[in-house]
Amino acid sequence: MRKPQFYLILFFSLLIFTSGCEYFCDCEKEAICGFNYGAVVFIPDKSGNDQLIAPKFDETTPDGTYQAAPAGLDLDSLTGVINVNNSTIMTEYIVTFTSADGKRICETTVYIEEPLIDECKFNYGDSIFYPSSDKSVAEIVKPVFADSMVADGKFTVAPQGLDLDSKTGYFRVNSSIAGINYTVTYTSADGYTICSTQVIIQGIDLVDAFLLLQEDIQFAVEGVPVLVDSIARPIVGANINTPAPEGAYQSDDPAVVFENPALGTMNLKATLRNIREQLQGDFFSGYSREITINYRIFSNDREVIGNFKFLLYWFAKQDEVPEDLIILMQGKSQYPIVGGKVMIPPPGMPIIGDLSR
């Protein structure tokens, strides 16, 4: 008769222990949740309005709060709605949801991609412009967009030096720094349309070189001779590979001898001979003179009036050339030729040799 009593006691003991669990331990497991935004990658649109995306839960949307890391995601902390168009682009975010009772915590990933960029085309009618010394000439150049596009954004330029209006894209030739290749970039107000074009404000100079008169010297760009013996033709300063445009070239210095005034070609040896005759006994080895060349050319359907200067030296012998002048010339040289080196402006033309030959 004791066996049944033993089982009965054991049954009541288990019943009491089980029913008292809630008083002695927390046996409820943490609830599991899951949510997302229907996608991971989102791209800002061009509507100019909000692009709102709400979270989607596996079950009924619970009450709670949302937070995102890192900072930059436009997130409503109560609803979990994100505004794609107002968030920092090219960033991956972790969005975390915490239920109101603190028992549900889950997260998802959101990536805001870079917006799609529309290409556009514009130019200034040409890419090369020449400053004019005639201030009465209209010098403001306006951008022209393809497909009659209306610009509503801003213009920027690199490097600095172009006198550019950031709102209209207009630039002034005469007040810009010459000899620089500029890149003008247009960006629309919404940031989704970007295009650029090239602008060069040109100056006209001579090829810089030591000329040995006893040598057969020739230097040509694009097949056009710009320096043959002592006959020099002006070049475009920003691009040594481009001869200066045809027009009318002259100098107020009566010693300058032009071979062809329309091309600006000058006979430097003959010019030095004239200077020697002018100065007579004051002409010596190491003599130099700054010469100004005036020009009138046509560019972009407008007349451009300007001038450039160069230094013309004469040395009877090569070993009489000062070391500082050699360093100056060679330090800025880029294009070697027979008898010396060619360099970009400022121009210098040391002539070495017997002027009587």
Side-chain angles (χ1 to χ4, degrees):
M1 295 296 294
R2 291 188 178 182
K3 267 189 179 181
Q5 186 177 0
F6 172 76
Y7 287 119
L8 186 61
I9 293 172
L10 180 60
F11 171 75
F12 279 110
S13 298
L14 289 172
L15 181 63
I16 292 172
F17 178 79
T18 304
S19 62
C21 175
E22 59 182 296
Y23 299 103
F24 297 104
C25 64
D26 185 5
C27 300
E28 182 180 357
K29 294 182 179 181
E30 184 180 285
I32 299 175
C33 65
F35 80 105
N36 58 61
Y37 286 91
V40 174
V41 179
F42 295 92
I43 301 176
D45 60 35
K46 306 168 187 176
S47 64
N49 303 316
D50 294 335
Q51 184 185 170
L52 304 178
I53 310 294
K56 300 177 181 179
F57 280 82
D58 295 341
E59 299 177 356
T60 304
T61 303
D63 293 331
T65 58
Y66 302 79
Q67 61 183 5
L73 185 68
D74 189 339
L75 171 71
D76 189 309
S77 63
L78 297 179
T79 65
V81 173
I82 61 174
N83 186 351
V84 176
N85 291 354
N86 200 37
S87 299
T88 303
I89 63 173
M90 301 185 69
T91 306
E92 181 178 278
Y93 302 95
I94 302 297
V95 181
T96 302
F97 168 78
T98 304
S99 62
D101 58 11
K103 294 181 178 180
R104 295 190 182 189
I105 299 176
C106 47
E107 62 184 30
T108 189
T109 301
V110 170
Y111 185 82
I112 307 300
E113 181 62 274
E114 185 177 16
L116 299 176
I117 302 298
D118 285 340
E119 293 185 357
C120 60
K121 293 182 179 180
F122 81 102
N123 58 54
Y124 288 94
D126 201 343
S127 60
I128 300 176
F129 299 87
Y130 297 87
S132 175
S133 59
D134 184 355
K135 300 304 180 182
S136 66
V137 177
E139 58 159 356
I140 298 178
V141 186
K142 305 176 182 179
V144 178
F145 283 85
D147 302 324
S148 302
M149 191 186 90
V150 177
D152 64 350
K154 64 178 181 179
F155 295 81
T156 57
V157 62
Q160 295 183 352
L162 187 71
D163 187 358
L164 177 75
D165 187 306
S166 61
K167 294 182 178 179
T168 65
Y170 296 6
F171 71 84
R172 295 178 179 272
V173 178
N174 287 355
S175 53
S176 299
I177 298 176
I180 298 178
N181 191 338
Y182 299 99
T183 298
V184 181
T185 301
Y186 166 77
T187 304
S188 61
D190 59 13
Y192 298 136
T193 302
I194 299 175
C195 49
S196 61
T197 190
Q198 303 295 313
V199 169
I200 303 175
I201 306 298
Q202 297 287 33
I204 295 179
D205 292 304
L206 288 182
V207 173
D208 295 76
F210 283 104
L211 300 184
L212 304 180
L213 296 183
Q214 65 269 30
E215 301 284 350
D216 180 16
I217 298 174
Q218 181 167 335
F219 186 69
V221 293
E222 297 183 353
V224 180
V226 294
L227 183 59
V228 178
D229 192 13
S230 64
I231 308 298
R233 177 176 177 176
I235 61 170
V236 173
N239 185 355
I240 199 169
N241 293 319
T242 304
E246 293 187 26
Y249 296 80
Q250 62 88 217
S251 176
D252 295 333
D253 189 332
V256 177
V257 177
F258 284 93
E259 290 283 321
N260 187 336
L263 300 178
T265 52
M266 291 169 282
N267 189 319
L268 301 180
K269 183 192 292 186
T271 299
L272 280 170
R273 287 172 177 166
N274 286 343
I275 293 175
R276 181 179 59 183
E277 291 182 6
Q278 287 178 350
L279 299 178
Q280 296 183 2
D282 292 331
F283 187 75
F284 52 88
S285 180
Y287 175 84
S288 67
R289 174 180 292 189
E290 183 179 84
I291 295 177
T292 299
I293 303 298
N294 305 306
Y295 60 84
R296 183 188 299 267
I297 60 175
F298 285 88
S299 173
N300 304 300
D301 298 324
R302 71 185 183 102
E303 186 179 56
V304 177
I305 301 174
N307 61 66
F308 66 92
K309 298 179 181 181
F310 71 96
L311 283 172
L312 184 61
Y313 303 81
W314 177 71
F315 299 94
K317 298 178 181 179
Q318 193 167 356
D319 58 10
E320 294 179 356
V321 180
E323 185 67 23
D324 59 348
L325 180 57
I326 294 175
I327 294 174
L328 173 65
M329 294 288 286
Q330 293 181 343
K332 297 181 179 180
S333 65
Q334 288 188 345
Y335 300 88
I337 64 171
V338 177
K341 293 200 173 186
V342 181
M343 71 177 187
I344 58 177
M349 194 68 71
I351 307 294
I352 305 170
D354 186 355
L355 294 178
S356 63
R357 297 177 60 180

